[in-house]
Amino acid sequence: MECNNIEYEIMDNLLLDIRENKYKIDEKLPSDNELAERYNVPRIKVRNIYKKIEQMGYIYSLQGRGRFLKKRGSSIELILSGNESFSKKLKRGGVNLDTINICAERIPYNKSIWDELHASKDINVYKIGRLRCVDKEPLAIHFSYVSQKVFKDISREGRKITSMFDYYKKKGFINYSTEKSMLEVLYPTSKERKLLDCGELVPLLKLKSNCKDEDTDIILEYTEIIYRGDKFIYKI
């Protein structure tokens, strides 16, 4: 227990120094030997602590040279609710946003998703995935689940979609709203780490919501959006 307390103390002190701007960008942090001697712990424990801090996205390592403070981009202000698309929210703020369609596929039956869409079990549902990048850096993954009963050509058109709101408009749905939203904090899976180019200890924020056409009460989509928690300032 005592050893664990010392590890927490070392990590807390390093994180506090980083957050209080004790180090400049690309400045070298104390070596493994220096911290091991200072806290009277084995070097392996210091290495493990540095590994965790690197996975959080604060530092980077250079073989044989040590650990250095990593430049972190400015946080982007993002409103989580509302009836405006993610793209328009960011572009209105002058952000250089790119969207990459990463999947458009029919999915096997999942009761919770079908229930969200108010779809019967015999209806086909497609998952449309988009990766959102700001200045070429991946920051968010959007998955939209839509019923083929509502969007009959989704199997053919899904791969071309980068904005669901634009797609709605092309299909004649122009007056829509979000019925409900739920937030969840989680850590990335290996697939999410690869897509978002982040470490396993970078927190993610998952927003689950749906979208309804106000004129017909039709549920247009059920959505799951995964944001990198270290890249946004969230407005509720």
Side-chain angles (χ1 to χ4, degrees):
M1 177 64 74
E2 181 180 353
C3 187
N4 285 336
N5 286 338
I6 290 176
E7 289 181 39
Y8 288 136
E9 180 183 350
I10 297 171
M11 178 174 281
D12 286 348
N13 288 341
L14 286 169
L15 290 174
L16 187 61
D17 287 343
I18 290 171
R19 290 173 182 173
E20 292 185 346
N21 300 316
K22 180 177 178 180
Y23 303 102
K24 297 179 181 179
I25 302 301
D26 298 323
E27 182 177 349
K28 186 177 180 181
L29 275 70
S31 68
D32 295 0
N33 287 336
E34 182 180 343
L35 289 182
E37 291 177 8
R38 183 188 306 174
Y39 291 97
N40 192 28
V41 297
R43 280 196 309 162
I44 185 64
K45 293 193 179 296
V46 175
R47 279 199 295 271
N48 289 337
I49 290 167
Y50 268 135
K51 183 178 179 181
K52 290 179 181 178
I53 295 176
E54 186 170 353
Q55 290 169 346
M56 293 176 185
Y58 288 105
I59 63 175
Y60 65 93
S61 300
L62 293 177
Q63 184 69 31
R65 294 181 57 188
R67 279 87 177 184
F68 301 83
L69 185 64
K70 185 177 182 179
K71 181 179 180 180
R72 292 161 66 87
S74 301
S75 295
I76 301 168
E77 189 175 279
L78 180 66
I79 300 173
L80 292 177
S81 59
N83 301 321
E84 189 176 32
S85 72
F86 179 87
S87 302
K88 288 185 178 179
K89 289 175 184 177
L90 293 193
K91 288 180 179 179
R92 191 176 63 245
V95 173
N96 182 22
L97 175 70
D98 292 313
T99 299
I100 304 168
N101 186 304
I102 56 175
C103 71
E105 59 193 20
R106 180 182 169 186
I107 63 170
Y109 178 72
N110 181 313
K111 185 177 185 303
S112 62
I113 293 176
W114 264 248
D115 286 348
E116 290 287 350
L117 293 172
H118 298 177
S120 58
K121 190 174 180 179
D122 61 311
I123 297 300
N124 292 335
V125 170
Y126 280 76
K127 178 170 98 171
I128 311 299
R130 287 94 67 213
L131 183 66
R132 309 292 198 175
C133 303
V134 172
D135 295 327
K136 307 302 181 182
E137 182 179 19
L139 301 186
I141 309 167
H142 286 209
F143 291 117
S144 297
Y145 299 88
V146 298
S147 163
Q148 195 169 27
K149 182 178 180 180
V150 179
F151 300 104
K152 300 186 185 305
D153 299 320
I154 192 65
S155 62
R156 177 170 52 85
E157 299 174 337
R159 261 297 182 181
K160 301 175 184 177
I161 297 174
T162 55
S163 169
M164 290 305 300
F165 280 22
D166 287 346
Y167 186 67
Y168 299 159
K169 291 178 181 177
K170 289 179 182 178
K171 298 300 179 180
F173 299 107
I174 58 174
N175 186 23
Y176 33 77
S177 64
T178 299
E179 269 199 329
K180 63 179 180 180
S181 297
M182 294 183 291
L183 292 174
E184 178 183 359
V185 177
L186 64 159
Y187 290 97
T189 63
S190 58
K191 184 176 181 179
E192 290 162 351
R193 291 197 301 272
K194 184 176 180 180
L195 283 171
L196 293 172
D197 190 24
C198 67
E200 63 186 30
L201 293 181
V202 170
L204 305 180
L205 187 66
K206 186 175 186 178
L207 174 65
K208 296 186 285 189
S209 62
N210 60 18
C211 188
K212 181 182 73 171
D213 176 56
E214 288 290 332
D215 296 326
T216 62
D217 282 340
I218 292 174
I219 300 297
L220 300 177
E221 70 169 306
Y222 166 67
T223 307
E224 294 179 348
I225 309 174
I226 300 172
Y227 299 99
R228 278 190 58 164
D230 60 337
K231 294 297 182 180
F232 295 94
I233 296 175
Y234 303 96
K235 294 182 69 175
I236 306 297

